[in-house]
Amino acid sequence: MNSIEIRNLTKVYRTFTLDNVNLTLPKGYIMGFIGENGAGKTTTIKTMLNIVQKESGQVKIFNQDIDKAEIEVKSKIGYVSGNMFYPKKSLKEITKYFKRFYNEWDEDLYQSYLNRFKLDSNKRIDELSKGMQLKYLITLALSHHAELLVLDEPTSGLDPVARDNLLELFQTIIEHEETTIFFSTHITSDLEKCADYITFIKEGKIIESCSKDDLLDAYRFVSGSDKDLEQMKDRLISYKNHAFGFNGLIRTEDVKKTDLAKIGQPTLDDIMIFYSSHKGVML
């Protein structure tokens, strides 16, 4: 069963177009949604969830069309973004309001997450660290038995220790809660630790959407001399010149046995950076 199926999702603004987005996320896995700032990650999420109206396309959550069963579908979703609400309100006050919207609210489960995350319900939002604020939002999401967590840049602004703790939490949720996670970020190193699938968006268009291993296997990081560059320049997706030669990105299928340049596996950062670069940029 798939948690998310998006087909030809399109949203048009005056200066930006989300262009026929397609992706599929099986139930019980983590998908990292990557792209530079402004690539269309948040627009995709908001359009997918009917927060903004799409021009065309279809979104199914757990095999239900969100246009036809929006209330039922959203009752199964926990949406977490970096934007906090009611900073001067206590957790207790916000929760009292929030839980009214969910028939499946589980007070015992909510209390267990408060204890697990060491959250004091009497504290105000603005008294919590960024990491603790996110844990509170995740607590709200999980306490109504959300089957899908949609996280929009959740680790942005967190220090490395807080980010690592959050990633461990995501993996624990997947293992024990049978929950699916759709995780938007431009911090690709986070996804190398926890993601099963990667979708890469650039300028409103999907470049790749597949398993993380398949994505990394589909490309190769290249480094070599200027002479090596002349041999393979036309096959490179992009490259950057430096004092000793060049670095670049190539599709694995385009590598030849006669290539003399050093060939290695790229990181997710390499893939995103070189897709965003122009050929021949000087480092």
Side-chain angles (χ1 to χ4, degrees):
M1 182 179 181
N2 292 321
S3 293
I4 302 175
E5 293 180 41
I6 297 177
R7 295 289 175 264
N8 302 315
L9 186 65
T10 299
K11 174 64 183 175
V12 179
Y13 292 104
R14 185 173 60 85
T15 59
F16 178 81
T17 297
L18 192 67
D19 190 2
N20 286 304
V21 166
N22 291 276
L23 65 89
T24 300
L25 174 57
K27 184 178 180 180
Y29 292 93
I30 298 176
M31 174 175 279
F33 190 34
I34 66 172
E36 59 189 308
N37 289 334
K41 299 188 300 296
T42 297
T43 300
T44 299
I45 288 173
K46 288 185 175 180
T47 309
M48 175 181 82
L49 297 178
N50 269 356
I51 296 172
V52 297
Q53 187 174 3
K54 62 182 178 292
E55 259 64 50
S56 61
Q58 183 182 55
V59 177
K60 287 187 176 182
I61 308 291
F62 299 117
N63 289 332
Q64 292 181 291
D65 190 318
I66 195 167
D67 288 334
K68 297 177 181 178
E70 184 169 358
I71 294 176
E72 184 178 353
V73 166
K74 286 188 173 179
S75 70
K76 302 177 183 178
I77 298 173
Y79 173 52
V80 177
S81 72
N83 299 320
M84 289 303 303
F85 42 81
Y86 306 124
K88 298 299 182 182
K89 296 289 187 180
S90 70
L91 276 58
K92 184 185 296 184
E93 291 173 300
I94 294 172
T95 301
K96 183 178 179 181
Y97 175 78
F98 180 86
K99 68 183 183 181
R100 296 175 185 173
F101 294 95
Y102 295 96
N103 293 329
E104 299 299 319
W105 181 265
D106 187 331
E107 186 65 24
D108 290 339
L109 185 60
Y110 169 72
Q111 292 296 331
S112 73
Y113 275 112
L114 287 183
N115 293 331
R116 178 177 177 178
F117 297 148
K118 297 179 173 57
L119 289 165
D120 183 348
S121 63
N122 292 310
K123 283 193 172 183
R124 299 193 315 266
I125 290 293
D126 61 3
E127 293 178 309
L128 302 179
S129 68
K130 185 72 179 294
M132 294 302 279
Q133 289 178 9
L134 281 170
K135 287 183 177 181
Y136 172 62
L137 291 178
I138 291 170
T139 293
L140 291 180
L142 292 175
S143 295
H144 61 87
H145 296 282
E147 298 175 44
L148 170 65
L149 287 183
V150 178
L151 310 170
D152 191 5
E153 301 279 0
T155 59
S156 181
L158 296 182
D159 63 66
V161 174
R163 286 196 354 246
D164 191 62
N165 289 338
L166 199 61
L167 297 178
E168 288 184 4
L169 170 62
F170 295 162
Q171 290 174 314
T172 300
I173 290 169
I174 289 293
E175 292 171 3
H176 299 292
E177 308 296 340
E178 298 184 354
T179 303
T180 306
I181 297 178
F182 185 74
F183 176 8
S184 157
T185 184
H186 62 275
I187 306 174
T188 57
S189 58
D190 289 347
L191 300 177
E192 292 181 351
K193 299 177 182 179
C194 70
D196 304 294
Y197 293 86
I198 299 290
T199 293
F200 173 31
I201 189 169
K202 175 178 168 61
E203 296 175 352
K205 296 182 179 181
I206 300 297
I207 303 298
E208 296 280 4
S209 188
C210 57
S211 74
K212 179 179 65 180
D213 291 341
D214 285 348
L215 177 62
L216 294 175
D217 286 343
Y219 295 90
R220 286 295 177 262
F221 180 80
V222 186
S223 60
S225 66
D226 291 337
K227 183 178 179 180
D228 298 328
L229 176 60
E230 289 303 314
Q231 181 190 19
M232 59 194 315
K233 181 187 295 185
D234 293 340
R235 288 175 281 132
L236 296 175
I237 292 166
S238 179
Y239 62 88
K240 293 185 178 183
N241 300 100
H242 55 74
F244 304 102
F246 79 100
N247 294 326
L249 187 73
I250 190 171
R251 288 190 176 276
T252 302
E253 62 189 21
D254 292 332
V255 175
K256 296 180 179 180
K257 292 182 179 180
T258 55
D259 289 330
L260 298 177
K262 185 178 179 181
I263 309 292
Q265 190 176 60
T267 63
L268 294 175
D269 260 350
D270 290 330
I271 294 171
M272 193 166 76
I273 288 169
F274 279 102
Y275 256 105
S276 301
S277 301
H278 298 291
K279 290 186 176 183
V281 174
M282 179 64 73
L283 291 175

